[in-house]
Amino acid sequence: MLYPQLNEARALLDLSGIWQFALGNEEFDEEKMTRPLRHAETMAVPASYNDQKALAQFRDHYGYAYYQTVFRVPKTLKGQRLVLRFGSVTQSAVVYLNG
């Protein structure tokens, strides 16, 4: 898929930046998505978390990883069709928006 481009008919909001991050295990923990992450690390997005920290627990991690961020939709876009595009998802993702 081509990257979306800002033009007269399309707005583009980039959510790249520093997000809250926590490693999980091989079982998905839905409770992590109902509240702010405890003991969260900061992680640059988009990028591989395996390469951003020096510790082996990040480099060799296998299992779920949890990301959280807060963003606001401009008033001019409210009521419009919005699409979230995740540029670094390599396997699959479970996405929660507003809980």
Side-chain angles (χ1 to χ4, degrees), residues 83-99:
V83 176
L84 288 173
R85 182 181 188 281
F86 296 89
S88 287
V89 173
T90 59
Q91 305 291 320
S92 64
V94 178
V95 178
Y96 288 72
L97 184 60
N98 295 336

Side-chain angles (χ1 to χ4, degrees), residues 23-30 32 61-66:
L23 292 173
N25 55 37
E26 293 181 41
E27 297 293 322
F28 180 69
D29 184 358
E30 189 167 1
K32 283 192 185 295
H61 180 258
Y62 178 82
Y64 284 94
Y66 301 91

Side-chain angles (χ1 to χ4, degrees), residues 13-15 19 69-74 82 84 96-98:
L13 204 67
D14 188 356
L15 300 179
W19 288 41
T69 195
V70 174
F71 66 95
R72 303 212 184 279
V73 175
L82 302 176
L84 288 173
Y96 288 72
L97 184 60
N98 295 336

